[in-house]
Amino acid sequence: MFPSEYRNLYDQKSVEGIFMNAFFYSNPFSCNTNTNGKSLGNVDQILLQCNRELASLDTNYLAESNQSVFSNIQFSKIDSDRLLITFDPLTSDGRYELHLSGIVSYAGETLLDDRLPIIIDTQIPTVTLNGYIPITDYTFFSSRYWDFISSEPLANFAPPILSGSLASSVVLRSVQKVTETTYRVYFETNFTSNGPGSLTLQFSNSKDNASNVVSNSLTVQFIGLVQGPYLNHGRSEFDAFQNDNGDVIAIYGYHSSAEILRKGATSFVLTNPSLPESLRGERGVMLDGKNLLITGGLQSATAYASTTSYIFDTETTAFTPTGSMNGPRHLHNIVKLQDGKVIILGGIRDYAPTPPAFFTSSNTAELYDPATGTFREITNRMMTPRSFSCSVLLDDGRVLVIGGTDGIFAPKDTTEFYDPNTETFSWGPTLPVPVGALKCMKLLDGNVLIYGAQLSNLNNSTMLFDKTRNQIFTIANSKIRREWSIASELPDGGILFYGGGYRYNTSEPSRTMEKLDYGKSNSFFDMGMSKHSVCKHSGVKFSDGTLFFLGGEVGGLFHHETEYYGLSH
């Protein structure tokens, strides 16, 4: 109809085409698919519906234009205004484009959009929390963030919608895109109680590149404090134990008695109201799944420590004498070795509480054999006399002995190793700070945490023995001095510090709990307030990760209460 030099006046990409199209039609020539360019699963055909009658198509030209992307592609005109396109199925996710530049209307118009995008998406996106398990910080008035990982790149990640018992106490602040699949959400918390609770996060406003909405939600359980049963007797400077049944045993601690909280029970049962007398300083260790070995201690009627030892059957509650130690000891160390034997290290032989106060520390060690019920003194001596020290079994079978003192106010900065294969002692790495009356705990990674020192020259450093480097260094300083505190590993890898005193006389213990962000920032964070300011207490950890704190002193008085720290109990 038109000479070639005037081109195709119906070409909608030309000025003339725009004018002619506006003159003859109210809308441009187009062919669309009702799938909106998005498909889930395999795709092998597309039906185009056009708004004009189609001219005779050069189907070979159209096939050749698309052959590099679509295999065995064919174009078929099935009605005057419809076009069926078939090809080998698309199985890989991605964005594809059909080239439609050879499609012309009966009037000679070309398509305004001659490329048809096809997004193949066989997956519905999901979101997970990176580096977290469904237990996390119960943190007060503190800025925090979570890292969310999506299963595929997202076109949009919006702040999640919050619900659950603690939703009103969490405020989301901002979202930062870290990578195509990682998004960091900053939030603040303002909890009004210490109780545990939950928070559910729904991602209904987050979509992938194919506009698929994130399909899952996440529930985060927040740890909290729950009141536990009362002890029958207040106890201080004592150790609590667990047997294989999950029962909790509280024994001695300035009271010559034992009581047990059976698994699932709601109260302690006083099983042995009159144990052999021990004022303080006895030490115990679980020999197996049920039997507890108790050694030494200081009797109130004498300035000399005891050599006696007992087996306490935590199932039958029978209390049976066993062999006596070769030397009197209290405030000594006791460690179960890998072969099942028990080593007794150092301790105080005699004690004079009246001025001028003194005590004599020991540099001897002995082995207890549960098979024979006897103690044997080790020929080799420790490198130095030690009491008020702590010891821990390392992964390689050696025992690390840390700090302590052989004078009332003379903490040591030395450590030593005991090798059970040779029954010999050797010097270990030097401590950054002299410490006595301290605590130590082997962590899951095999390193040793050193904390809670009472005799530490007014230092609040928390130290770490790095087994790989064979060095001890200060990992962080707690915000508050925590003499006689309890540290426990949390399920997220952090370490919770509960209780502890500000000063030697423990007249100002702390209610504030702290968490060491171990292995990450290695910083201390506030974790809320316990019910009481407590120190000289004890604690155990249940198999589900719940922590249980018992007894101690509050305001210089024996404390009868207990607290669970976990999801619930």
Side-chain angles (χ1 to χ4, degrees), residues 260-458:
I260 298 180
L261 177 66
R262 297 295 185 187
K263 184 178 181 180
T266 58
S267 61
F268 280 91
V269 175
L270 190 64
T271 62
N272 297 77
S274 300
L275 294 179
E277 183 185 11
S278 177
L279 177 65
R280 64 186 177 91
E282 74 291 332
R283 291 294 182 260
V285 68
M286 291 296 299
L287 296 175
D288 48 29
K290 69 169 187 171
N291 290 305
L292 174 62
L293 172 67
I294 299 291
T295 59
L298 185 69
Q299 296 181 347
S300 58
T302 176
Y304 289 92
S306 172
T307 62
T308 56
S309 60
Y310 303 86
I311 300 295
F312 180 50
D313 188 321
T314 61
E315 292 184 359
T316 66
T317 72
F319 204 74
T320 308
T322 186
S324 294
M325 294 185 292
N326 291 275
R329 305 175 193 272
H330 80 283
L331 294 175
H332 49 289
N333 293 166
I334 182 169
V335 178
K336 180 182 174 183
L337 303 175
Q338 289 180 342
D339 63 1
K341 295 180 180 178
V342 176
I343 187 169
I344 312 295
L345 298 150
I348 295 176
R349 186 186 68 188
D350 51 23
Y351 172 67
T354 57
F358 74 90
F359 57 80
T360 305
S361 297
S362 172
N363 67 346
T364 64
E366 46 191 299
L367 286 171
Y368 174 75
D369 188 344
T372 61
T374 59
F375 289 86
R376 173 176 62 85
E377 187 167 319
I378 296 172
T379 302
N380 293 288
R381 294 290 188 260
M382 298 171 65
M383 303 304 291
T384 182
R386 297 182 192 272
S387 56
F388 290 97
S389 60
C390 73
S391 299
V392 65
L393 180 67
L394 301 176
D395 288 341
D396 61 10
R398 295 181 299 164
V399 176
L400 174 61
V401 189
I402 305 169
T405 180
D406 57 3
I408 292 181
F409 297 109
K412 294 177 177 290
D413 65 356
T414 61
T415 68
E416 54 187 286
F417 295 109
Y418 169 71
D419 188 337
N421 296 319
T422 60
E423 295 190 359
T424 58
F425 293 88
S426 60
W427 288 115
T430 301
L431 291 157
V433 179
V435 287
L438 68 155
K439 294 190 176 183
C440 53
M441 174 178 65
K442 187 175 76 173
L443 304 175
L444 290 176
D445 61 8
N447 295 329
V448 178
L449 188 75
I450 304 165
Y451 70 99
Q454 183 185 22
L455 304 175
S456 59
N457 297 325
L458 297 178

Side-chain angles (χ1 to χ4, degrees), residues 55-356:
S56 297
L57 301 177
D58 188 344
T59 56
N60 291 331
Y61 168 76
L62 288 169
E64 291 174 1
S65 300
N66 291 277
Q67 193 64 48
S68 61
V69 178
F70 300 89
S71 301
N72 300 322
I73 190 167
Q74 296 181 357
F75 289 78
S76 304
K77 180 181 173 183
I78 58 174
D79 284 313
S80 62
D81 58 355
R82 291 200 299 169
L83 184 66
L84 179 64
I85 309 167
T86 60
F87 42 84
D88 285 350
L90 296 174
T91 57
S92 298
D93 288 2
R95 186 181 189 278
Y96 301 85
E97 280 190 338
L98 269 170
H99 294 259
L100 306 177
S101 56
I103 298 178
V104 181
S105 73
Y106 184 79
E109 299 167 277
T110 57
L111 289 170
L112 179 62
D113 297 317
D114 55 12
R115 292 177 182 269
L116 178 66
I118 303 171
I119 296 176
I120 306 302
D121 191 350
T122 61
Q123 301 294 323
I124 300 294
T126 59
V127 171
T128 57
L129 270 172
N130 180 38
Y132 294 87
I133 59 176
I135 304 173
T136 187
D137 300 352
Y138 196 83
T139 310
F140 285 62
F141 307 104
S142 180
S143 178
R144 280 288 188 270
Y145 66 81
W146 282 315
D147 283 340
F148 294 96
I149 302 296
S150 62
S151 59
E152 58 181 293
L154 297 181
N156 177 59
F157 185 84
I161 299 172
L162 306 181
S163 60
S165 61
L166 297 178
S168 61
S169 301
V170 177
V171 180
L172 301 182
R173 290 303 186 192
S174 63
V175 175
Q176 175 188 353
K177 183 176 181 180
V178 180
T179 67
E180 289 296 319
T181 56
T182 303
Y183 301 86
R184 181 166 293 173
V185 176
Y186 290 89
F187 65 96
E188 294 179 3
T189 55
N190 186 7
F191 298 112
T192 56
S193 73
N194 285 338
S198 64
L199 183 70
T200 298
L201 304 100
Q202 178 65 50
F203 308 92
S204 57
N205 294 321
S206 301
K207 300 178 181 180
D208 65 6
N209 292 323
S211 297
N212 296 312
V213 176
V214 170
S215 62
N216 67 312
S217 63
L218 294 173
T219 297
V220 178
Q221 299 291 334
F222 282 76
I223 296 175
L225 286 166
V226 177
Q227 180 71 46
Y230 278 66
L231 292 164
N232 290 277
H233 295 298
R235 302 177 188 274
S236 175
E237 297 183 44
F238 74 108
D239 289 322
F241 302 91
Q242 269 189 296
N243 60 18
D244 281 358
N245 295 330
D247 305 329
V248 178
I249 300 94
I251 190 168
Y252 285 114
Y254 284 91
H255 205 289
S256 296
S257 66
E259 51 190 299
I260 298 180
L261 177 66
R262 297 295 185 187
K263 184 178 181 180
T266 58
S267 61
F268 280 91
V269 175
L270 190 64
T271 62
N272 297 77
S274 300
L275 294 179
E277 183 185 11
S278 177
L279 177 65
R280 64 186 177 91
E282 74 291 332
R283 291 294 182 260
V285 68
M286 291 296 299
L287 296 175
D288 48 29
K290 69 169 187 171
N291 290 305
L292 174 62
L293 172 67
I294 299 291
T295 59
L298 185 69
Q299 296 181 347
S300 58
T302 176
Y304 289 92
S306 172
T307 62
T308 56
S309 60
Y310 303 86
I311 300 295
F312 180 50
D313 188 321
T314 61
E315 292 184 359
T316 66
T317 72
F319 204 74
T320 308
T322 186
S324 294
M325 294 185 292
N326 291 275
R329 305 175 193 272
H330 80 283
L331 294 175
H332 49 289
N333 293 166
I334 182 169
V335 178
K336 180 182 174 183
L337 303 175
Q338 289 180 342
D339 63 1
K341 295 180 180 178
V342 176
I343 187 169
I344 312 295
L345 298 150
I348 295 176
R349 186 186 68 188
D350 51 23
Y351 172 67
T354 57

